[in-house]
Amino acid sequence: MSGIGPLTVRELKKWYRNPVFFVTGLLQPFFWIALFGSAFDITKFFPQASELVLGGAPNYITYIVGGVLTISGLFTAMFAGTNIIFDRRLGPMGRFLSSPIRRSSIVFSKVFSSVIRILPQILILIAAAIIIPNGLKFANGFTVPDALVLLTAIILISLIFSSIFSAIAIRMTNMNSIFGIVNLVNLPLLFVSYAMFSSEMMAGWLADIAKYNPVSWSAESIRMVIINGSNMTMSQWGQIGEWLGGLAVLAVSLTLLTAYLAEKEIRD
Amino acid sequence: MPGNIIETKDLTKIYKGNIRAVDSLNIQIKEGEVYGLLGPNGAGKRTTINMLITRISPTSGTASVDGFDIVKESLQVRKTIGVVPQDLTADEDLTGRENLVMVSQFYDVPKPTAEDRIRQLLKLVDLEDAADRYVNTYSGGMRKRLELILGLVHDPKILFLDEPTLGLDIQTRTQMWDYVREIQERLNVTIILTSHYLEEIDALADMVSIIDHGKVLITGTPEELKESLKGDIITITLKDEANVEVMKKVPNVVEVTEHGPNTLRIKVVNADESLPDIINYISKNGLSTNKLTVQKPTLDEVFLEYTGRNIRSEEPADARKMMMNMRRMRR
């Protein structure tokens, strides 16, 4: 009697039936890879330093795919909480709360549906990156374990941030507050990370903070498997294990915290 | 004789600032009846309902719903009851049927059973044709009907109806009453009804409790309550000067008061029986009447008598949600 199934199905129906919501969600990764890939292409500014800043990637698009994938997951996840507020303001919350379902299933249906919504975005983004001129190149191939790393990193990122933003929305009634918080943290999370630039390109203090940003861990993991493909060394796998391990610990603890808060605090 | 399906024992809810929303409330609701809770705003109706449906927990006291304790066995309680809240709760982006199916899944109703029951319920409230349309295309009355059956998909023993016709026009309202009656007869559920409309309680409830300041002031059938006022009112305007003392001699007259020029307000036990006597008396004494009205007691007067307030001047409880509902109804 968890309610998580029917509630997640509901969220997904609302997504794929709304053409604007659906299409914009799918177009967004395309814009991102094309725009970010050109606008921030650091090799244009410093052609002679491209070896250093690209860390072995054949071009900038290949370098930032991991970052854009992560950011795409992050931005979708940050809006997971808004539907909790809509449900409260428009009435369905009252129905959920008087049903014998777990309170946390109301919140986790938003978390899981936003994780699911990210999956087609991943495919489109990678396809777009390959199609565009001077785009994504798998110079050393791309293996199944590489694909699993990519998927795991994005799923963990979306779990982490959709949990955080759902937890924030548990007691909130005003939509503007959550938009405010999203706007406050989205660009810092993006730019204080290795999503777009390597640590060598950053001011020292910024690079030091970025080291602890989970966005960096995900972006770097994906970047590493994309650049090295089938030539991954044991020490590189070890590094990826550390990053993904960190993400997993964060995801699990935030999920537990959100579950606890939802059971205890959610109300109409 | 059926037993009590709901019983509260000194049920109390104290909000922050020592506000006693519900104060040692004791009510008994019998299985199969329609029980009306009537009271001005802030009387504690909604808090009482919210405790019984386990949305909030009491500060002290207990209550049992179908034998389950509302605090210790809240999950059990939630499975037994159906709730039709004051606000609209259906998801506008889904169809009526999808909403019903989703709610049936909350209660783990097996799929074939749920499909059958949903078909029956849609038929009961004449929503079969609209079942597969998105809820945002429904009229206000249709939405309310959908809400009504959303509370019934899992075959509950008890249905809580919180202001089921708030914001509806009179025609739609009386139509809703027919549906509620039909539900009660056909599905054999106990219904707990709160309402702002006295005529709604009068039309639907078998038993009524008037509550104010979190306490029950009086309980009884609507008829008993009306009778407790002891009498009907006959107002007579005579052509000549009226004589209060003379009129008191008519049998069964309880009270006579002067009510304006040449006008008497006569309280009698039963107007149907006393009217011929009064008219006889008037003609025997050579008086003639200009105007004569008979007023049977209504729940309005009962309410006024017991709470000292007129329910018409009351504003709905949650203005924000109310406005939002009204807005959606008008579409």
Side-chain angles (χ1 to χ4, degrees):
Chain A
M1 204 155 303
S2 74
I4 189 86
L7 283 172
T8 308
V9 169
R10 159 179 181 257
E11 292 294 325
L12 293 175
K13 275 184 184 161
K14 286 164 83 88
W15 169 56
Y16 67 72
R17 279 184 189 166
N18 180 336
V20 177
F21 190 21
F22 188 64
V23 173
T24 51
L26 298 182
L27 277 180
Q28 191 190 33
F30 187 79
F31 279 141
W32 282 20
I33 197 73
L35 289 177
F36 285 169
S38 305
F40 295 114
D41 189 351
I42 35 183
T43 59
K44 293 237 170 65
F45 308 120
F46 314 103
Q48 63 279 47
S50 59
E51 278 289 301
L52 176 72
V53 296
L54 291 185
N59 56 33
Y60 186 60
I61 298 273
T62 306
Y63 180 81
I64 61 156
V65 162
V68 176
L69 279 170
T70 303
I71 294 299
S72 196
L74 168 70
F75 279 19
T76 305
M78 286 203 290
F79 287 97
T82 54
N83 278 343
I84 295 175
I85 299 173
F86 272 127
D87 282 352
R88 180 173 296 125
R89 296 201 75 148
L90 297 179
M93 187 66 87
R95 167 75 50 206
F96 303 156
L97 291 180
S98 56
S99 304
I101 54 171
R102 295 198 142 273
R103 306 306 213 217
S104 52
S105 66
I106 302 168
V107 175
F108 281 112
S109 66
K110 321 288 179 202
V111 173
F112 291 153
S113 63
S114 73
V115 172
I116 294 169
R117 289 208 307 267
I118 290 160
L119 300 178
Q121 292 193 356
I122 298 178
L123 286 177
I124 293 178
L125 202 143
I126 291 175
I130 293 173
I131 292 165
I132 55 178
N134 195 23
L136 172 61
K137 288 189 180 67
F138 296 106
N140 296 306
F142 195 64
T143 62
V144 173
D146 295 343
L148 287 178
V149 167
L150 184 152
L151 210 59
T152 310
I154 299 170
I155 288 174
L156 288 175
I157 278 288
S158 33
L159 269 178
I160 290 170
F161 287 97
S162 49
S163 293
I164 293 177
F165 280 87
S166 302
I168 290 173
I170 282 171
R171 289 296 294 272
M172 220 170 245
T173 52
N174 193 330
M175 197 62 82
N176 290 320
S177 334
I178 203 137
F179 288 149
I181 297 173
V182 168
N183 278 331
L184 182 73
V185 300
N186 58 6
L187 293 184
L189 275 170
L190 168 61
F191 288 111
V192 189
S193 81
Y194 303 146
M196 315 297 284
F197 308 111
S198 64
S199 59
E200 289 81 3
M201 301 279 303
M202 293 182 175
W205 65 271
L206 207 61
D208 286 342
I209 304 174
K211 221 184 293 178
Y212 302 101
N213 185 347
V215 172
S216 302
W217 306 342
S218 163
E220 292 273 83
S221 304
I222 300 170
R223 182 171 298 142
M224 192 173 266
V225 293
I226 284 179
I227 292 173
N228 297 302
S230 50
N231 298 340
M232 293 277 294
T233 64
M234 277 320 280
S235 73
Q236 282 172 327
W237 278 120
Q239 178 61 64
I240 282 184
E242 248 174 64
W243 283 326
L244 292 188
L247 288 174
V249 168
L250 265 184
V252 169
S253 35
L254 284 166
T255 307
L256 290 175
L257 178 71
T258 306
Y260 171 76
L261 288 175
E263 291 291 341
K264 215 170 156 273
E265 296 291 335
I266 201 162
R267 58 201 62 174
D268 203 4
Chain B
M1 194 161 146
N4 292 334
I5 199 160
I6 293 180
E7 258 186 61
T8 71
K9 209 176 207 176
D10 297 329
L11 194 66
T12 303
K13 180 73 186 181
I14 303 170
Y15 285 121
K16 262 180 219 146
N18 205 23
I19 299 160
R20 285 179 174 268
V22 174
D23 194 0
S24 303
L25 190 82
N26 291 299
I27 52 175
Q28 289 89 35
I29 300 175
K30 285 199 183 67
E31 190 163 356
E33 71 185 4
V34 179
Y35 192 94
L37 271 181
L38 195 59
N41 278 315
K45 282 176 297 186
R46 229 178 169 191
T47 307
T48 306
I49 295 285
N50 277 339
M51 284 191 281
L52 291 178
I53 66 173
T54 77
R55 283 269 285 279
I56 54 175
S57 42
T59 311
S60 66
T62 57
S64 70
V65 175
D66 193 29
F68 299 111
D69 186 281
I70 56 164
V71 177
K72 289 179 211 132
E73 295 160 306
S74 63
L75 204 65
Q76 235 50 42
V77 171
R78 269 187 253 152
K79 284 184 205 171
T80 321
I81 61 168
V83 181
V84 180
Q86 191 174 321
D87 319 308
L88 300 173
T89 65
D91 188 331
E92 299 185 12
D93 300 329
L94 301 181
T95 68
R97 196 190 304 275
E98 283 173 333
N99 270 291
L100 290 160
V101 168
M102 178 176 74
V103 173
S104 79
Q105 288 168 335
F106 291 165
Y107 294 87
D108 284 344
V109 183
K111 210 174 162 201
T113 317
E115 278 171 0
D116 260 11
R117 190 165 174 83
I118 287 168
R119 214 173 300 123
Q120 280 171 26
L121 289 171
L122 285 167
K123 197 172 168 205
L124 187 74
V125 295
D126 298 315
L127 276 179
E128 299 148 292
D129 295 337
D132 297 308
R133 269 166 45 194
Y134 289 124
V135 173
N136 58 25
T137 66
Y138 283 21
S139 70
M142 287 162 81
R143 290 210 59 168
K144 274 289 185 185
R145 266 139 67 195
L146 177 65
E147 291 298 328
L148 201 57
I149 57 172
L150 274 170
L152 289 165
V153 280
H154 58 292
D155 200 7
K157 277 181 130 171
I158 306 163
L159 183 68
F160 287 87
L161 283 178
D162 191 6
E163 301 275 2
T165 63
L166 193 68
L168 294 180
D169 59 72
I170 295 195
Q171 207 186 346
T172 322
R173 194 187 305 163
T174 45
Q175 205 186 19
M176 281 289 280
W177 295 351
D178 292 337
Y179 290 125
V180 172
R181 282 196 203 102
E182 201 156 328
I183 283 168
Q184 202 244 349
E185 276 166 29
R186 285 227 217 144
L187 306 179
N188 191 30
V189 283
T190 306
I191 297 178
I192 290 91
L193 172 76
T194 72
S195 180
H196 228 76
Y197 303 113
L198 288 155
E199 55 278 31
E200 186 160 292
I201 298 274
D202 205 0
L204 295 174
D206 303 318
M207 277 302 234
V208 192
S209 282
I210 295 181
I211 63 174
D212 199 11
H213 303 296
K215 282 182 188 295
V216 174
L217 301 180
I218 187 166
T219 302
T221 66
E223 281 65 39
E224 280 169 1
L225 294 194
K226 282 184 258 178
E227 273 166 27
S228 74
L229 290 182
K230 292 200 181 59
D232 303 344
I233 305 290
I234 299 171
T235 312
I236 304 179
T237 307
L238 297 167
K239 284 209 172 112
D240 319 291
E241 201 177 322
N243 190 331
V244 174
E245 292 309 314
V246 171
M247 210 53 91
K248 273 187 183 165
K249 287 179 190 144
V250 182
N252 293 324
V253 166
V254 180
E255 196 183 80
V256 182
T257 47
E258 227 164 320
H259 197 71
N262 297 351
T263 304
L264 296 178
R265 193 166 185 267
I266 306 167
K267 199 170 185 179
V268 295
V269 178
N270 185 331
D272 300 343
E273 286 165 15
S274 295
L275 209 51
D277 293 339
I278 290 173
I279 290 171
N280 270 343
Y281 194 83
I282 289 170
S283 56
K284 254 190 221 161
N285 287 279
L287 299 166
S288 54
T289 48
N290 258 351
K291 203 175 147 195
L292 191 148
T293 54
V294 176
Q295 206 182 356
K296 293 265 181 186
T298 61
L299 273 185
D300 286 75
E301 282 151 57
V302 179
F303 187 84
L304 181 68
E305 176 98 10
Y306 286 98
T307 65
R309 271 176 277 179
N310 200 324
I311 203 163
R312 302 285 161 206
S313 56
E314 298 285 330
E315 285 296 315
D318 190 334
R320 177 179 62 84
K321 281 200 169 158
M322 166 88 177
M323 284 308 291
M324 213 146 74
N325 279 345
M326 301 278 268
R327 219 166 33 232
R328 278 189 281 167
M329 298 265 193
R330 258 185 255 124
R331 281 212 313 234

